[in-house]
């Protein structure tokens, strides 16, 4: 068992019951305050721990990790150290925060390296080199295919043979709390022969998870599916905002473009695969059997509960869907193996998103497109209004966590408020 995952560990830092961030989590992120430059941190209960301060006091010196790694404005340099060293750092942080203070007593430094989370600004944790969005939920692909092509042609012929994906826009990935501007673009009204230009009327969320690459590869090489998880540093929440009317008009023949590239919101915390290990589970049975380069044995996904809520401006929040990462048909390892099978190289900081994660029940559909079935089944809100798609002023918040045998490992939130389109 990974040392930092020990379920018996308890911290001298108070951790409220039900917190996303017990001592067994220890995700990585980047924060700043008015008096501090951006630097690495972890989360413990309702506090963040400044890892630069701990490094300056020598807590990581014997791990052969340069102190300056913790003073960077992203975690890329840290991830690039490799899992042996990053795992050692996470284990050491666990020892520092453990209520057994015999070996590493940092409690006397608490005022210097602990900050209440509400008093710091969390930043985008990763310098994103490239971003790929997959389409790996069978339920989502079936729902969307049924809407637009009919039940008999819901899945395209290639879907059960490979993880479908497209190259997205890395520059518009933003951290939770960043407002999202309603996009402008071309749309084709129903029964019209010519497009019109204006604000998107069908703004949607997509309930996804993302993972970040922690090892680079050389151009021309490929990642074996059995080794793929060694290249994955950790995971985050991922809301792939979508303008359905712009997307519908543009996506044939080359796929999504402006309907997706205006914004994607991620959570500020990268939860390591190590922390998720206790929640490993099997994914759906794959039939037909994938080609050999995609074949896996064992449990290669995780039991992660995910949900999305909408809060109107000055109104009460409503959770509109709840799904689970384990529903994905294609695993992260298969996605990464397929991504590199042609020799495409990876870079530290690349983000891959799962695609919308829909489950078998209507309440587990991962987009408004599905939840309202193209707007034909509006969702009632607590204030008496209805939602077919997202309105200006709405704050959309994604949450996610794993829970088993009394242990909860969470991801925090990925939230964004929708602002009106610019004239």
């Amino acid at each position: 068992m990974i040392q930092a995952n020990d379920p018996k560990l308890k911290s001298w830092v108070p951790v409220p019951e039900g917190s996303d961030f017990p001592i067994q989590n220890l995700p990585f992120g980047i924060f700043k305050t008015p008096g501090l430059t951006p630097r690495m941190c972890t989360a413990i209960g309702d506090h963040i721990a400044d890892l630069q301060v701990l490094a300056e006091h020598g807590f990581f010196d014997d791990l052969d990790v340069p102190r300056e790694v913790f003073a960077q404005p992203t975690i890329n340099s840290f991830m690039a150290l490799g899992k042996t060293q990053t795992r050692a750092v996470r284990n050491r942080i666990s020892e520092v925060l453990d209520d057994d203070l015999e070996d590493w007593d940092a409690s006397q430094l608490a005022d210097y390296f602990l900050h209440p989370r509400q008093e710091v600004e969390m930043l985008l944790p990763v310098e994103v080199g490239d971003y790929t969005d997959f389409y790996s939920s069978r339920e989502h692909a079936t729902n969307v295919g049924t809407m637009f092509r009919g039940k008999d042609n819901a899945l395209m012929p290639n879907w059960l043979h490979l993880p479908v994906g497209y190259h997205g826009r890395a520059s518009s990935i933003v951290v939770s709390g960043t407002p999202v501007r309603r996009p402008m673009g071309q749309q084709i009204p129903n029964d019209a022969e010519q497009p019109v230009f204006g604000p998107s009327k069908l703004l949607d969320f997509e309930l996804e998870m993302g993972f970040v690459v922690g090892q680079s590869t050389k151009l021309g090489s490929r990642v074996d599916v059995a080794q793929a998880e060694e290249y994955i540093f950790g995971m985050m929440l991922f809301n792939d905002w979508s303008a359905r009317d712009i997307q519908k008009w543009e996506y044939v023949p080359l796929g999504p473009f402006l309907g997706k590239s205006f914004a994607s919101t991620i959570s500020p915390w990268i939860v390591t695969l190590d922390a998720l290990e206790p929640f490993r589970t099997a994914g759906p049975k794959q039939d037909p059997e994938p080609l050999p380069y995609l074949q896996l044995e064992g449990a290669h996904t995780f039991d992660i509960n995910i949900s999305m809520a909408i809060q109107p401006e000055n109104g009460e929040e409503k959770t509109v869907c709840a799904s689970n990462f384990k529903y994905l048909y294609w695993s992260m390892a298969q996605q990464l193996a397929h991504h590199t099978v042609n020799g495409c190289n990876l870079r530290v900081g690349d983000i891959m998103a799962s695609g919308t994660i829909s489950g078998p029940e209507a309440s587990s559909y991962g987009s408004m497109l599905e939840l309202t079935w193209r707007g034909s089944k509006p969702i009632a809100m607590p204030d008496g209004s209805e939602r077919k798609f997202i309105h200006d002023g709405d704050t959309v918040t994604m949450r996610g966590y794993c829970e088993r045998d009394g242990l909860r490992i969470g991801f925090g939130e990925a939230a964004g408020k929708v602002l009106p389109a610019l004239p």
Side-chain angles (χ1 to χ4, degrees):
M1 184 180 71
I2 299 167
Q3 175 186 327
N5 292 358
D6 187 342
K8 298 190 295 294
L9 294 176
K10 294 190 181 302
S11 178
W12 55 266
V13 181
V15 177
E17 185 175 354
S19 171
D20 277 354
F21 305 112
I23 192 172
Q24 291 84 2
N25 190 345
L26 303 181
F28 293 98
I30 299 291
F31 85 102
K32 72 174 182 178
T33 71
L36 296 174
T37 56
R39 75 271 304 276
M40 277 185 61
C41 63
T42 190
I44 180 71
D46 291 335
H47 290 77
I48 67 98
D50 184 334
L51 299 183
Q52 181 178 341
V53 171
L54 290 178
E56 289 171 349
H57 283 81
F59 283 90
F60 308 122
D61 283 357
D62 62 318
L63 303 181
D64 196 29
V65 175
R67 291 185 179 186
E68 57 267 24
V69 165
F70 301 100
Q72 301 302 309
T74 70
I75 68 170
N76 291 50
S77 296
F78 177 70
M79 293 189 294
L81 295 172
K83 284 198 174 184
T84 297
Q85 286 179 284
T86 60
R87 182 175 292 135
V89 169
R90 180 169 170 265
N91 285 338
R92 177 59 50 79
I93 297 169
S94 175
E95 294 169 349
V96 167
L97 297 176
D98 188 358
D99 62 3
D100 180 358
L101 301 174
E102 291 184 5
D103 295 325
W104 298 93
D105 186 358
S107 61
Q108 301 302 313
L109 295 172
D111 290 342
Y112 296 95
F113 80 92
L114 286 179
H115 301 269
R117 266 207 328 273
Q118 70 270 21
E119 295 181 6
V120 306
E121 180 182 355
M122 297 302 300
L123 306 177
L124 193 70
V126 175
E127 181 181 354
V128 186
D130 278 298
Y131 155 51
T132 299
D133 193 24
F134 286 94
Y135 188 54
S136 292
S137 163
R138 183 169 186 169
E139 289 82 1
H140 174 66
T142 300
N143 288 338
V144 174
T146 299
M147 286 183 214
F148 293 102
R149 292 186 297 275
K151 188 174 182 179
D152 293 339
N153 297 303
L155 288 181
M156 300 299 286
N158 63 348
W159 200 93
L160 293 172
H161 295 275
L162 56 84
V164 174
Y166 73 94
H167 189 256
R169 185 69 184 174
S171 65
S172 55
I173 294 177
V174 297
V175 73
S176 178
T178 306
V180 173
R181 180 76 61 180
R182 182 177 296 272
M184 302 283 285
Q186 288 192 29
Q187 306 125 49
I188 187 80
N190 291 335
D191 302 320
E193 295 183 1
Q194 296 296 322
V196 297
F197 178 80
S200 169
K201 300 177 179 64
L202 307 182
L203 184 61
D204 202 353
F205 61 76
E206 289 197 338
L207 187 74
E208 305 192 22
M209 295 295 296
F211 68 84
V212 60
V213 172
Q215 280 191 55
S216 297
T217 63
K218 293 182 179 180
L219 184 65
S221 65
R222 44 189 279 198
V223 174
D224 186 274
V225 68
Q227 305 299 320
E229 287 188 7
E230 288 301 309
Y231 292 80
I232 299 172
F233 178 77
M235 298 181 65
M236 77 289 287
L237 304 176
F238 197 102
N239 176 8
D240 183 26
W241 298 88
S242 299
R244 299 300 184 187
D245 38 8
I246 296 174
Q247 181 183 1
K248 178 184 175 182
W249 174 235
E250 74 181 1
Y251 86 101
V252 177
L254 293 182
F257 184 33
L258 302 182
K260 297 277 194 176
S261 62
F262 60 95
S264 297
T265 299
I266 69 170
S267 50
W269 298 107
I270 308 299
V271 177
T272 63
L273 290 197
D274 283 351
L276 297 173
E277 190 63 32
F279 308 97
R280 190 176 286 277
T281 189
K285 178 177 172 55
Q286 295 184 324
D287 184 20
E289 185 177 64
L291 292 175
Y293 79 95
L294 289 172
Q295 290 177 13
L296 273 174
E297 294 182 1
H300 287 278
T301 191
F302 300 93
D303 184 1
I304 306 173
N305 300 293
I306 48 178
S307 64
M308 197 74 83
I310 298 173
Q311 182 178 12
E313 194 161 29
N314 303 317
E316 182 182 342
E317 179 183 275
K318 178 174 181 173
T319 298
V320 296
C321 67
S323 190
N324 195 294
F325 184 71
K326 68 183 179 183
Y327 293 142
L328 282 182
Y329 188 86
W330 295 104
S331 71
M332 294 185 291
Q334 289 173 317
Q335 291 169 349
L336 201 62
H338 184 67
H339 198 300
T340 63
V341 74
N342 67 342
C344 175
N345 55 316
L346 303 173
R347 293 183 291 180
V348 171
D350 287 352
I351 287 181
M352 317 285 177
S354 61
T356 305
I357 305 170
S358 294
E361 307 296 331
S363 61
S364 63
Y365 294 167
S367 65
M368 294 295 282
L369 178 67
E370 298 165 87
L371 290 165
T372 69
W373 209 256
R374 298 177 74 179
S376 66
K377 301 176 181 179
I379 295 173
M381 300 298 291
D383 62 2
S385 64
E386 292 184 334
R387 290 296 183 277
K388 297 179 180 180
F389 290 90
I390 308 301
H391 291 192
D392 290 348
D394 286 350
T395 297
V396 179
T397 303
M398 183 178 178
R399 300 180 176 92
Y401 67 93
C402 309
E403 194 161 29
R404 184 177 295 171
D405 299 328
L407 176 63
R408 178 187 173 107
I409 300 293
F411 291 80
E413 295 183 349
K417 181 176 181 178
V418 175
L419 303 181
L422 292 173

